[in-house]
């Protein structure tokens, strides 16, 4: 075994031991049918624990608590978090990845000094990119920012901002120039969510959850010192934001899906040895489990290539598209199971997308056909970058 391999195994053992000692006891029960204030408090405490242990910021630059880890080390930590069924820091995902990575690459010294320590202390960020008519075609955004002395005056609307109702700051894309190419007129601002003129409305989904919000901006004044980069550089900076997680999220979600098979077997009435009596359900379960194994292999192959510094091209799109398909098939089979109603669990905040509440999980699985780039966009990327097909011509 090489020195690098020994170090990774030691990191795995250390991370596993810490999680065994520190995962909050009965956290799923505590986060079931929970009120918003209780969820916020739980996430803040878990964030504090993970930051102190260096497990929330392994992707940050060296010099920060837990930072400077190689991608291979980050993979180990993510795998162990999923294996241990640790609560996910869903309230701080944008803060720890999108905001932090964008600030580290594009922020001024003053912006980094102001916000990066605050994120570690619990500052919550949301993302203000998508708009009602600018989702998949993000470059068509209409939210307008006009320079007025040392401020920008912003008017417009954003939508699908994850947990925006709880955020302190927002990564905001605005249009400062409409005279040229769409991408060339976009500017990147950091917006204080407490600014006058900011109105946040949670969006109640079909599941009954309020994971997203829409943000209305009316004459919101944002200091020019809160701009990242130069005017018109927003599109380029946004690519840093969107690429900040480098596949780690889909790695964790695929690991959690793989380790949730017992929930499906339970819903299907498996006996003590995990055997399902209904032949049809057994065949369908085997088919889904094989797909889960294939997904895990695809993700691990993609991460190995990333660790080796190789370009993954359209692989990330194939993985994301396949995950959306497998998750829906998995949750659909659980919902159809004859015994699902007997094992129906209330919705739990902070885990994966396989909570055991099969109706909720199935409805929620459709989110993954849109989130992170719709299935249609992923198929276009695959056709162009993997299959070499010509770009689609739009009317």
């Amino acid at each position: 075994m090489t020195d690098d391999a020994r170090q990774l195994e030691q990191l795995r053992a250390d991370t596993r031991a810490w999680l065994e000692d520190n995962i909050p006891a009965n956290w799923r029960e505590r986060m079931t049918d929970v009120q918003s204030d209780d969820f916020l408090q739980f996430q803040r405490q878990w964030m504090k624990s993970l930051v102190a242990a260096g497990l929330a910021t392994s992707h940050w630059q060296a010099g920060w608590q837990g930072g400077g880890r190689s991608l291979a080390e980050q993979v180990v930590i993510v795998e162990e978090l999923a294996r241990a069924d640790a609560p996910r820091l869903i309230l701080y995902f944008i803060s720890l990845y999108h905001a932090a990575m964008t600030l580290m690459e594009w922020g001024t010294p003053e912006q980094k000094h102001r916000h990066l320590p605050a994120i570690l202390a619990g500052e919550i960020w949301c993302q203000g990119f998508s708009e009602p008519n600018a989702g998949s075609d993000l470059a068509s955004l209409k939210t307008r920012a006009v320079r007025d002395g040392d401020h920008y005056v912003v008017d417009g609307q954003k939508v699908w901002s994850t947990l925006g109702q709880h955020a302190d700051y927002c990564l905001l894309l605005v249009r400062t120039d409409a005279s040229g190419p769409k991408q060339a007129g976009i500017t990147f601002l950091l917006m204080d969510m407490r600014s006058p003129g900011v109105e946040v409305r949670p969006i109640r989904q079909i599941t009954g959850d309020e994971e997203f919000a829409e943000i209305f901006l009316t004459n919101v004044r944002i200091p020019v010192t809160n701009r990242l980069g130069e005017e018109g550089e927003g599109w380029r900076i946004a690519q840093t934001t969107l690429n900040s997680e480098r596949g780690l999220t889909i790695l964790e979600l695929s690991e959690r899906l793989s380790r949730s098979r017992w929930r499906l077997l339970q819903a299907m009435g498996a006996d003590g040895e995990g055997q399902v009596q209904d032949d049809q359900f057994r065949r369908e379960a085997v088919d889904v489990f094989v797909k889960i194994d294939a997904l895990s292999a695809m993700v691990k192959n993609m991460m190995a290539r990333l660790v080796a510094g190789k370009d993954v091209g359209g692989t990330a799109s194939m993985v994301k598209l396949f995950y959306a398909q497998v998750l829906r098939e998995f949750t659909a089979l659980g919902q159809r199971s004859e015994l699902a109603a007997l094992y129906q669990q209330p919705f739990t905040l902070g885990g994966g997308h396989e909570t055991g509440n099969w109706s909720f999980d199935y409805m929620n699985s459709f989110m993954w056909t849109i989130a992170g780039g719709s299935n249609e966009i992923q198929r276009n990327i695959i056709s162009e970058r993997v299959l070499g097909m010509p770009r689609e011509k739009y009317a």
Side-chain angles (χ1 to χ4, degrees):
M1 183 181 292
T2 66
D3 289 343
D4 287 345
R6 277 192 288 270
Q7 290 176 2
L8 289 177
E9 286 306 307
Q10 186 60 53
L11 173 62
R12 187 179 297 279
D14 292 343
T15 302
R16 186 171 297 184
W18 186 91
L19 290 169
E20 289 175 353
D21 292 339
N22 291 276
I23 290 179
N26 303 316
W27 76 264
R28 282 190 172 272
E29 290 79 0
R30 293 167 58 186
M31 288 296 101
T32 297
D33 287 344
V34 70
Q35 298 299 312
S36 177
D37 289 345
D38 294 330
F39 166 69
L40 293 174
Q41 182 180 359
F42 179 87
Q43 285 275 304
R44 289 191 177 105
Q45 289 298 320
W46 184 230
M47 168 75 165
K48 184 177 180 180
S49 296
L50 287 178
V51 167
L55 299 180
T57 50
S58 62
H59 57 291
W60 285 34
Q61 296 171 353
W64 293 97
Q65 175 74 19
R69 293 284 191 184
S70 68
L71 183 55
E73 291 173 317
Q74 295 172 44
V75 168
V76 166
I77 291 172
V78 167
E79 287 177 340
E80 288 304 309
L81 287 166
R83 185 202 66 81
D85 190 31
R88 295 178 63 221
L89 282 175
I90 54 179
L91 185 64
Y92 291 99
F93 180 80
I94 300 295
S95 307
L96 289 168
Y97 284 92
H98 296 180
M101 297 299 97
T102 307
L103 283 163
M104 285 181 184
E105 183 163 344
W106 293 95
T108 65
E110 294 77 13
Q111 289 168 342
K112 295 177 184 178
H113 179 74
R114 161 64 184 87
H115 292 295
L116 292 175
I119 289 173
L120 294 181
E123 186 173 80
I124 302 169
W125 285 68
C126 66
Q127 193 166 293
F129 281 20
S130 295
E131 298 181 3
N133 294 306
S136 298
D137 184 15
L138 182 59
S140 296
L141 65 89
K142 304 293 185 185
T143 295
R144 181 74 172 159
V146 178
R147 181 77 177 262
D148 180 22
D150 57 358
H151 283 74
Y152 288 99
V153 180
V154 181
D155 292 274
Q157 179 185 354
K158 298 293 180 177
V159 74
W160 306 124
S161 179
T162 302
L163 298 173
Q165 63 269 38
H166 303 302
D168 301 302
Y169 271 85
C170 177
L171 300 169
L172 186 69
L173 289 182
V174 298
R175 182 162 302 285
T176 49
D177 185 1
S179 62
K182 294 186 295 185
Q183 288 89 341
I186 296 174
T187 298
F188 204 120
L189 302 177
L190 310 176
M191 182 178 70
D192 187 338
M193 293 291 284
R194 295 173 294 270
S195 302
V198 176
E199 180 186 357
V200 183
R201 300 178 190 171
I203 299 173
R204 183 168 292 274
Q205 300 149 242
I206 191 173
T207 59
D209 190 23
E210 294 181 345
E211 186 178 353
F212 306 103
E214 52 186 342
I215 304 172
F216 296 87
L217 309 170
T218 306
N219 294 325
V220 179
R221 297 183 65 84
I222 301 176
V224 174
T225 54
N226 280 20
R227 185 185 67 208
L228 283 184
E230 301 298 324
E231 278 195 12
E233 257 189 319
W235 184 259
R236 181 182 173 195
I237 299 171
Q239 304 316 302
T240 300
T241 308
L242 297 172
N243 294 328
S244 61
E245 42 186 307
R246 293 190 295 178
L248 292 172
T249 296
I250 205 69
L251 170 65
E252 179 181 2
L253 292 175
S254 67
E255 287 286 318
R256 289 181 182 271
L257 179 60
S258 181
R259 296 179 183 278
S260 295
R261 302 179 205 213
W262 68 270
R263 298 183 190 279
L264 181 58
L265 291 173
Q266 184 184 57
M268 295 169 64
D271 59 25
E273 297 181 355
Q275 298 297 314
V276 177
Q277 300 305 313
D278 186 294
D279 289 342
Q280 179 64 24
F281 272 106
R282 185 166 60 247
R283 284 192 292 270
E284 293 187 47
V286 169
D287 182 59
V288 171
F289 289 172
V290 168
K291 290 179 180 178
I292 290 175
D293 287 338
L295 173 67
S296 295
M298 289 173 65
V299 173
K300 291 182 185 299
N301 177 266
M302 180 182 72
M303 296 310 297
R305 291 171 64 186
L306 285 171
V307 168
K310 298 179 180 178
D311 181 22
V312 298
T315 302
S317 292
M318 290 190 288
V319 168
K320 193 270 177 185
L321 183 65
F322 193 42
Y323 173 77
Q325 173 189 335
V326 175
L327 179 64
R328 189 190 300 183
E329 292 181 10
F330 181 90
T331 55
L333 188 55
Q335 187 186 45
R336 285 173 41 223
S337 300
E338 292 182 7
L339 297 180
L342 298 178
Y343 294 98
Q344 193 88 322
Q345 301 295 319
F347 171 52
T348 301
L349 279 168
H353 297 291
E354 312 81 35
T355 69
N357 183 326
W358 295 106
S359 295
F360 179 95
D361 291 340
Y362 177 65
M363 290 187 290
N364 201 40
S365 70
F366 284 81
M367 175 189 73
W368 274 95
T369 66
I370 302 172
S374 69
N375 283 0
E376 291 77 13
I377 293 297
Q378 305 305 332
R379 291 188 181 100
N380 278 346
I381 293 173
I382 294 167
S383 67
E384 294 167 9
R385 299 183 187 178
V386 179
L387 302 178
M389 298 175 68
R391 289 181 61 86
E392 183 175 357
K393 294 182 179 180
Y394 297 94

